[in-house]
C-alpha cells in the first residue's frame, strides 16, 4: 500500500474510532435525516466485506509469529494492509448499523447485543492493528486477539441474523416439523398449533420484541390482539376488512404487501388457514376437534397436524400431478392434501356469486384423488350432483345450505366410499331421506339440522338406520335463546339522488325487521315492520332491529342515508391534501364512497381526504347552470387522535371563477372530552341560486381545545363526501 495512502487510512481509522464512540455516547439523541437513512440501509449490503476480510486477517494473524511467516516481508505487508482495510470496513459497517438502528422498528436485547458485539469487533480490530508492531505484542496475544475477534464475528452475525430472520432461523424448519408432529390432533389448539407456527415462520422475523416493524409483535396472542401502528390486525368474523388479510393479498410488488418481497411468502394453504381462522372469529382457545368434521378450517388444520402414520385410512390411488393441482387452485377454490405425503385431496369452493358447476367439472383430472368436497352455502342444484358423483373416492361431502333436493341425493348412490354427508339448511324432508339413506351403503354420519325434519323424524331415521349417526343439531326448548345478529342494509350505496327505495335484509329466514326514521329506537311491537315499500326522499337516519320467536332481539343497527341531487362535471383542488389522506384527490368529494372509522376498514384508508396545515378547498364546474340551495359536509370526529370538525365552511357561487359571491358560511359543533368517535354531517342552507361554478372552503380547527392532550395544535380535518341539493 502506498505510504501516503496508508497514513491517511490510519488517520481515518483513528477518526472513525472517535466518531463511533461519539455516536454510541449520544445515540439516544440522534435524529437521522432521510439521506442518512439511505446510507444506514446499506448496512446489510456492506457488512459482508469486513466479515470476510477480518476472518482472513485473523487467520493469518494467528500464525503471524511462526518463523517462516515472521521473516516473510510480503506476508507481513499483506497482513497489515488486510487488517487495516478490514478494520476500516468494520467501522463503516458499524456507522451504517447505528444509523439503521435509529429507524422505527428496531429495539430489544438482540439489537443491543448485535450493536455492542459489532462495535467490539471494530474496536478490537483497531487495537490489534495499532499495537501489533509494539515490542510487547507477542504470539499469545496475537492468537488470543485473533480468536476473540473470530468469536465476536460469529456472535455478531448470529445476532444480526436473529434480527433479520428471527430466532432459531436455521433450525426452525426441523424444530417446527417436530413440534407440529408431536401434537396429537385431539389436543391441538387451532391458534397455538396451526396459526402461530405460520406467523413464526413467515412474520416474526420482522415483528418481534427485538425488531418491532410497524409497532407490531406477532409472537404471542396478547400482542396479536393489540395490533400495531396501523390498528388492529383483524376484525373477528370478517376477513374481508381485516388488515392482516388485506396486506397478504396485495400484489407482491406493493410496498405494504406482507411478507415483503424477498421474504418467504405465505402458501395458498397458509393464507386459507389464516382467512378461515379470522372468519371463525379468531378464537385463541378453540381446539381443532371442536370444529365440525366438515369445517374447512378443521380439514386444513388436520392436514398440517396429521402424519401419514396417524391416518386411519390408507389410499391405493396414485398422487395427482403437483402442477395440475397448482393450476386448479383459484381465489374461490382451494385444493390441498388431507395429510402429509398422502395422495388424498380435499377441495373447498367459496363465493356463492362466483359458483358454477364448471368449477366441479374442471376437477376431472384429479377426480380419483378427491376424498373431501366442501360446497357449503353454494347454489348447488340437483343437476350438479351428477358432476359430484364422478369423484369415485369421495368420503366426505358438505352440502349444507345448498339448493339440493331428493332427486339430487339419488345420484350419490354410486359413491361407494361416502361415509359423511351434511345436509343442514337444505329442503330435504323425512320422506326423502327415508328413501335415499339405505342406498348410501358406506354412510356413517348425516347432518340434518335446520331442515324440514322434526325431532321425531330424526329419531325415526336413527332407529331405522342404526349403523348411521343422524345429527339433528340444536333444538330450542325455550330455555337457551340466542341473540340475532343486526339487520343489514342491502342498498349498494346510502347516497341517493331524488329518491331511493330502502332495502334491508337479514341472513336468517323468518326474521322480522322493525325500524324507525325519527331517531327513536325500534321495539318489537309498535315500530313499523319493514316490508320493502319505504321510499326515502331526504336525509334520513334508519334505526333497525331484528326479531324472531325464540330468539333475543338483535343489537341496534343504524344506517345514514344522504340525498345529493347535484354532481359537478369537474373539480379542481385549490390546496394540497394531507400526504397520508389523499383518497381520490379532487374526485373524492363526489364519488359516492363514504369513509369509515377504524384502521382495519379499507374505507378508513382509502376514502378520507384530509388537511391539517392548510384549508381544504376546491372549485367545481357545472357545464349547464344548476339551482342549488344547500351544501352538506360529511366528516369524522375522533377527538382522542386529534380529528375534529371543520372550524368553518364557506360556500361561494357564481357564473364564472372570477365572479362568485359568498352564499353561506356555517360552523360545526365541537365534541366534548371523552366523546366516542363518530361520523357527522353539517349542512349550510341558503336562498336558491343559479350557479355554473361553486367554490367550497373548509377550514380545519386552528386551535385544539385546552382540555385535549394536544391543546393548541391545529386539528386534522377529514372529509369523505359533500352533498349538493
Amino acid at each position: 500500500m502506498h505510504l501516503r495512502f496508508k497514513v491517511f487510512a490510519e488517520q481515518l481509522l483513528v477518526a472513525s474510532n472517535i466518531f463511533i464512540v461519539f455516536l454510541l455516547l449520544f445515540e439516544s439523541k440522534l435524529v437521522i435525516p432521510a439521506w442518512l437513512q439511505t446510507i444506514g440501509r446499506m448496512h446489510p449490503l456492506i457488512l459482508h466485506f469486513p466479515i470476510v476480510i477480518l476472518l482472513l486477517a485473523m487467520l493469518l494473524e494467528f500464525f503471524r509469529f511462526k518463523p517462516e511467516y515472521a521473516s516473510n516481508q510480503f506476508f507481513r505487508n499483506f497482513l497489515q494492509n488486510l487488517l487495516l482495510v478490514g478494520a476500516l470496513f468494520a467501522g463503516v459497517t458499524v456507522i451504517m448499523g447505528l444509523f439503521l438502528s435509529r429507524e422505527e422498528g428496531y429495539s430489544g436485547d438482540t439489537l443491543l447485543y448485535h450493536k455492542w458485539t459489532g462495535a467490539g469487533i471494530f474496536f478490537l480490530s483497531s487495537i490489534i492493528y495499532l499495537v501489533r508492531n509494539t515490542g510487547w505484542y507477542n504470539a499469545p496475544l496475537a492468537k488470543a486477539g485473533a480468536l476473540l475477534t473470530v468469536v465476536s464475528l460469529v456472535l455478531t452475525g448470529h445476532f444480526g441474523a436473529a434480527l433479520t430472520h428471527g430466532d432459531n432461523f436455521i433450525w426452525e424448519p426441523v424444530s417446527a416439523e417436530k413440534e407440529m408432529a408431536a401434537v396429537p390432533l385431539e389436543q391441538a389448539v387451532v391458534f397455538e398449533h396451526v396459526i402461530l407456527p405460520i406467523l413464526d415462520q413467515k412474520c416474526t422475523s420482522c415483528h418481534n420484541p427485538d425488531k418491532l416493524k410497524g409497532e407490531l409483535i406477532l409472537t404471542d396472542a396478547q400482542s396479536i390482539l393489540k395490533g400495531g401502528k396501523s390498528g388492529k390486525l383483524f376484525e373477528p368474523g370478517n376477513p374481508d376488512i381485516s388488515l392482516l388479510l388485506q396486506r397478504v393479498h396485495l400484489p407482491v410488488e406493493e410496498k405494504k404487501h406482507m411478507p415483503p418481497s424477498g421474504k418467504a411468502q405465505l402458501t395458498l394453504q397458509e393464507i386459507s388457514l389464516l382467512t378461515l381462522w379470522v372468519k371463525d372469529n379468531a378464537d385463541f382457545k378453540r381446539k381443532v376437534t371442536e370444529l365440525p368434521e366438515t369445517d374447512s378450517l378443521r380439514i386444513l388444520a388436520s392436514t398440517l397436524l396429521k402424519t401419514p402414520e396417524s391416518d386411519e385410512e390408507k389410499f391405493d390411488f396414485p398422487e395427482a400431478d403437483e402442477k395440475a393441482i397448482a393450476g386448479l387452485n383459484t381465489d374461490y377454490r382451494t385444493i390441498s392434501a388431507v395429510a402429509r405425503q398422502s395422495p388424498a385431496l380435499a377441495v373447498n369452493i367459496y363465493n356463492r356469486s362466483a359458483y358454477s358447476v364448471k368449477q366441479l367439472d374442471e376437477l376431472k383430472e384429479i377426480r380419483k384423488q378427491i376424498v373431501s368436497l366442501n360446497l357449503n352455502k353454494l347454489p348447488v342444484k340437483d343437476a350438479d350432483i351428477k358432476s359430484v358423483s364422478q369423484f369415485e373416492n369421495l368420503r366426505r361431502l358438505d352440502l349444507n345450505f345448498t339448493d339440493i333436493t331428493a332427486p339430487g341425493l339419488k345420484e350419490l348412490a354410486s359413491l361407494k366410499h361416502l361415509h359423511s354427508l351434511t345436509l343442514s339448511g337444505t329442503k330435504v324432508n323425512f320422506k326423502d331421506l327415508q328413501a335415499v339413506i339405505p342406498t348410501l351403503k358406506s354412510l356413517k354420519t348425516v347432518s340434518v339440522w335446520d331442515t324440514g325434519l322434526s325431532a321425531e323424524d330424526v329419531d325415526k331415521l336413527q332407529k331405522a338406520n342404526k349403523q348411521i349417526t343422524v345429527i339433528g343439531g340444536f333444538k330450542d326448548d325455550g330455555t337457551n335463546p340466542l341473540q340475532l345478529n343486526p339487520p343489514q342494509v342491502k342498498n349498494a350505496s346510502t347516497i341517493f339522488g331524488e329518491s331511493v327505495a330502502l332495502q334491508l335484509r337479514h341472513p336468517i329466514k323468518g326474521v322480522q325487521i322493525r325500524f324507525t326514521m325519527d331517531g327513536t329506537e325500534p321495539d318489537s311491537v309498535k315500530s313499523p315492520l319493514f316490508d320493502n315499500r319505504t321510499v326515502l326522499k331526504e336525509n334520513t337516519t334508519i334505526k333497525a332491529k331484528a326479531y324472531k320467536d325464540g330468539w333475543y332481539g338483535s343489537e341496534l343497527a343504524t344506517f345514514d342515508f344522504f340525498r345529493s341531487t347535484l354532481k359537478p362535471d369537474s373539480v379542481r383542488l385549490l390546496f394540497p391534501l394531507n400526504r397520508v389522506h389523499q383518497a381520490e384527490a379532487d374526485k373524492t368529494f363526489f364519488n359516492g364512497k363514504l369513509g369509515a372509522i377504524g384502521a382495519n376498514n379499507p374505507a378508513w384508508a382509502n376514502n378520507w381526504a384530509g388537511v391539517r396545515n392548510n384549508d381544504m378547498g376546491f372549485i367545481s364546474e357545472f357545464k349547464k347552470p344548476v339551482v342549488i340551495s344547500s351544501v352538506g359536509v360529511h366528516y369524522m370526529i375522533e377527538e382522542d387522535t386529534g380529528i375534529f370538525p371543520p372550524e368553518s365552511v364557506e360556500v361561494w357561487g357564481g357564473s364564472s371563477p372570477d365572479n362568485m359571491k359568498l352564499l353561506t358560511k356555517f360552523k360545526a359543533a365541537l365534541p366534548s372530552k371523552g366523546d366516542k368517535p363518530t361520523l357527522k354531517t353539517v349542512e349550510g342552507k341558503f336562498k336558491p341560486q343559479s350557479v355554473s361554478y361553486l367554490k367550497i372552503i373548509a377550514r380545519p380547527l386552528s386551535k385544539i381545545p385546552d382540555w385535549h392532550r394536544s391543546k393548541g395544535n391545529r386539528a386534522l380535518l377529514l372529509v369523505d363526501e359533500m352533498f349538493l341539493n
Side-chain angles (χ1 to χ4, degrees):
M1 185 182 291
H2 193 277
L3 182 60
R4 289 181 62 184
F5 183 78
K6 183 178 179 180
V7 171
F8 173 76
E10 289 175 343
Q11 293 173 341
L12 185 61
L13 181 63
V14 174
S16 297
N17 276 267
I18 297 171
F19 182 57
I20 289 174
V21 169
F22 171 82
L23 291 178
L24 290 170
L25 288 175
F26 298 99
E27 182 185 10
S28 61
K29 298 182 179 180
L30 291 179
V31 178
I32 308 299
W35 66 275
L36 277 183
Q37 289 181 17
T38 302
I39 294 175
R41 293 188 180 194
M42 295 176 67
H43 173 77
L45 173 67
I46 205 76
L47 62 84
H48 300 92
F49 291 96
I51 291 175
V52 174
I53 295 171
L54 287 177
L55 278 174
L56 180 59
M58 291 305 148
L59 177 64
L60 298 178
E61 185 72 11
F62 190 86
F63 298 104
R64 171 194 168 190
F65 285 93
K66 282 197 170 187
E68 60 268 34
Y69 299 129
S71 59
N72 189 317
Q73 186 64 37
F74 173 79
F75 178 89
R76 292 201 308 270
N77 290 338
F78 176 76
L79 174 54
Q80 187 170 13
N81 293 335
L82 191 68
L83 186 55
L84 177 58
V85 172
L88 285 172
F89 265 115
V92 173
T93 305
V94 170
I95 293 170
M96 288 178 171
L98 290 173
F99 288 169
L100 181 61
S101 70
R102 297 305 299 164
E103 289 193 31
E104 180 185 347
Y106 293 94
S107 63
D109 292 339
T110 303
L111 175 66
L112 195 66
Y113 300 150
H114 180 61
K115 177 178 69 177
W116 285 107
T117 52
I121 290 171
F122 170 65
F123 292 137
L124 186 59
S125 59
S126 298
I127 291 171
I128 291 174
Y129 177 81
L130 294 172
V131 304
R132 63 190 305 276
N133 291 324
T134 59
W136 53 268
Y137 187 78
N138 53 27
L141 284 175
K143 290 180 178 181
L147 285 173
L148 185 59
T149 304
V150 170
V151 170
S152 298
L153 279 167
V154 172
L155 287 175
T156 304
H158 166 71
F159 294 132
L163 276 175
T164 305
H165 301 291
D167 292 334
N168 196 32
F169 172 69
I170 295 175
W171 300 107
E172 184 179 49
V174 176
S175 60
E177 185 85 8
K178 288 182 178 178
E179 181 182 348
M180 198 172 287
V183 181
L185 182 61
E186 297 74 20
Q187 298 177 17
V189 177
V190 177
F191 171 73
E192 182 180 351
H193 300 112
V194 178
I195 302 302
L196 192 57
I198 295 173
L199 300 179
D200 284 342
Q201 292 178 35
K202 302 293 175 71
C203 306
T204 57
S205 62
C206 290
H207 300 290
N208 60 72
D210 295 317
K211 191 175 182 183
L212 201 59
K213 287 291 185 182
E215 300 177 16
L216 177 65
I217 298 176
L218 296 177
T219 55
D220 59 272
Q222 186 176 357
S223 299
I224 291 170
L225 278 171
K226 182 181 177 182
K229 183 178 180 180
S230 298
K232 291 184 178 180
L233 198 60
F234 51 78
E235 192 71 31
N238 201 336
D240 292 338
I241 63 171
S242 293
L243 187 63
L244 170 66
L245 279 310
Q246 289 173 11
R247 294 290 173 87
V248 166
H249 284 101
L250 286 173
V252 177
E253 61 272 12
E254 286 278 348
K255 181 180 179 181
K256 292 185 178 181
H257 170 82
M258 292 296 159
S261 175
K263 298 276 189 178
Q265 297 296 303
L266 290 165
T267 65
L268 187 63
Q269 186 180 48
E270 290 168 340
I271 294 172
S272 298
L273 282 164
L274 292 172
T275 302
L276 292 168
W277 177 66
V278 173
K279 190 175 182 180
D280 194 44
N281 291 318
D283 195 309
F284 286 83
K285 297 182 179 179
R286 195 171 190 179
K287 290 186 175 181
V288 174
T289 52
E290 291 175 357
L291 296 165
E293 282 191 12
T294 56
D295 185 87
S296 300
L297 179 56
R298 174 167 176 167
I299 292 171
L300 289 178
S302 300
T303 300
L304 292 180
L305 295 166
K306 284 185 178 180
T307 60
E309 293 75 18
S310 67
D311 289 340
E312 296 180 0
E313 192 170 11
K314 303 299 179 183
F315 303 101
D316 57 4
F317 45 78
E319 291 186 13
D321 182 69
E322 289 186 8
K323 290 184 178 179
I325 296 173
L328 291 168
N329 269 303
T330 69
D331 290 340
Y332 305 125
R333 181 177 60 202
T334 61
I335 304 166
S336 59
V338 298
R340 291 189 187 92
Q341 301 178 16
S342 172
L345 300 175
V347 176
N348 297 274
I349 300 178
Y350 311 94
N351 195 322
R352 184 178 183 88
S353 62
Y355 168 79
S356 75
V357 71
K358 184 180 178 182
Q359 290 179 291
L360 297 172
D361 295 334
E362 289 172 346
L363 301 172
K364 182 178 180 180
E365 187 177 350
I366 60 170
R367 68 184 185 188
K368 286 187 177 181
Q369 288 80 19
I370 297 174
V371 300
S372 177
L373 180 61
N374 181 2
L375 301 174
N376 181 40
K377 295 184 179 179
L378 297 178
V380 180
K381 307 293 183 184
D382 288 340
D384 300 351
I385 302 301
K386 188 172 183 179
S387 296
V388 174
S389 66
Q390 301 303 308
F391 306 136
E392 57 200 71
N393 290 309
L394 196 63
R395 267 70 168 171
R396 295 180 294 274
L397 178 59
D398 185 345
L399 294 173
N400 285 343
F401 299 97
T402 58
D403 299 331
I404 58 97
T405 61
L409 293 179
K410 292 177 182 178
E411 292 285 347
L412 299 177
S414 62
L415 297 175
K416 299 178 181 179
H417 303 287
L418 185 66
H419 61 67
S420 176
L421 177 63
T422 63
L423 301 169
S424 304
T426 63
K427 297 178 181 179
V428 298
N429 55 43
F430 173 72
K431 186 177 179 181
D432 297 337
L433 290 175
Q434 192 178 34
V436 171
I437 286 179
T439 67
L440 305 176
K441 303 299 184 182
S442 300
L443 197 63
K444 295 178 181 178
T445 62
V446 57
S447 299
V448 294
W449 55 269
D450 201 15
T451 62
L453 276 71
S454 64
E456 292 76 15
D457 292 335
V458 173
D459 189 53
K460 287 179 183 178
L461 277 178
Q462 186 65 79
K463 289 179 179 179
N465 303 276
K466 294 183 179 180
Q467 79 283 7
I468 297 173
T469 300
V470 182
I471 302 172
F474 174 78
K475 296 298 179 183
D476 185 12
D477 58 5
T479 61
N480 297 292
L482 303 176
Q483 185 175 31
L484 291 167
N485 48 320
Q488 303 165 2
V489 66
K490 194 175 178 181
N491 297 78
S493 174
T494 58
I495 301 173
F496 63 94
E498 294 294 341
S499 64
V500 66
L502 176 63
Q503 299 178 49
L504 302 178
R505 65 181 174 187
H506 199 280
I508 297 178
K509 296 178 181 178
V511 167
Q512 289 187 344
I513 298 176
R514 301 275 181 171
F515 73 105
T516 62
M517 299 190 296
D518 59 3
T520 61
E521 190 166 316
D523 60 38
S524 60
V525 179
K526 297 180 181 179
S527 298
L529 181 64
F530 178 69
D531 58 4
N532 287 302
R533 296 179 182 177
T534 302
V535 176
L536 306 179
K537 296 183 178 181
E538 58 185 18
N539 291 355
T540 307
T541 295
I542 303 294
K543 294 189 175 183
K545 283 187 175 183
Y547 297 97
K548 185 178 181 180
D549 290 342
W551 297 69
Y552 286 126
S554 73
E555 297 289 342
L556 178 68
T558 302
F559 311 110
D560 291 315
F561 282 79
F562 304 99
R563 184 173 183 263
S564 187
T565 57
L566 302 174
K567 184 177 180 180
D569 294 300
S570 64
V571 177
R572 176 172 58 87
L573 289 174
L574 298 175
F575 311 105
L577 297 174
N578 186 294
R579 180 178 59 84
V580 178
H581 301 98
Q582 292 281 319
E584 294 185 12
D586 52 359
K587 299 181 179 65
T588 302
F589 307 106
F590 304 104
N591 61 6
K593 298 177 182 179
L594 293 174
I597 297 174
N600 286 337
N601 194 318
W604 160 263
N606 301 329
N607 295 350
W608 291 107
V611 294
R612 186 194 300 274
N613 299 316
N614 53 261
D615 295 340
M616 178 183 289
F618 60 83
I619 291 179
S620 57
E621 179 186 2
F622 300 89
K623 291 182 179 179
K624 293 183 179 180
V626 298
V627 176
I628 186 169
S629 59
S630 70
V631 172
V633 179
H634 194 245
Y635 58 91
M636 182 196 294
I637 296 177
E638 195 173 63
E639 60 88 0
D640 187 53
T641 55
I643 303 172
F644 279 81
E647 184 171 83
S648 66
V649 178
E650 294 180 1
V651 180
W652 299 71
S655 58
S656 70
D658 301 323
N659 183 28
M660 288 192 284
K661 65 178 180 179
L662 182 64
L663 303 181
T664 186
K665 181 177 180 179
F666 53 95
K667 297 182 177 181
L670 290 178
S672 301
K673 185 177 182 180
D675 281 356
K676 292 182 179 180
T678 185
L679 305 180
K680 293 271 191 179
T681 301
V682 61
E683 186 178 37
K685 295 185 178 182
F686 45 89
K687 185 178 178 181
Q689 298 284 331
S690 176
V691 300
S692 295
Y693 290 87
L694 196 69
K695 180 171 71 173
I696 300 176
I697 306 291
R699 292 187 170 85
L701 196 64
S702 57
K703 182 182 178 184
I704 292 179
D706 291 339
W707 49 260
H708 196 271
R709 61 184 177 183
S710 302
K711 59 184 179 181
N713 293 336
R714 192 155 187 170
L716 176 63
L717 171 62
L718 294 183
V719 175
D720 57 355
E721 199 75 11
M722 295 195 184
F723 313 119
L724 308 181
N725 293 288

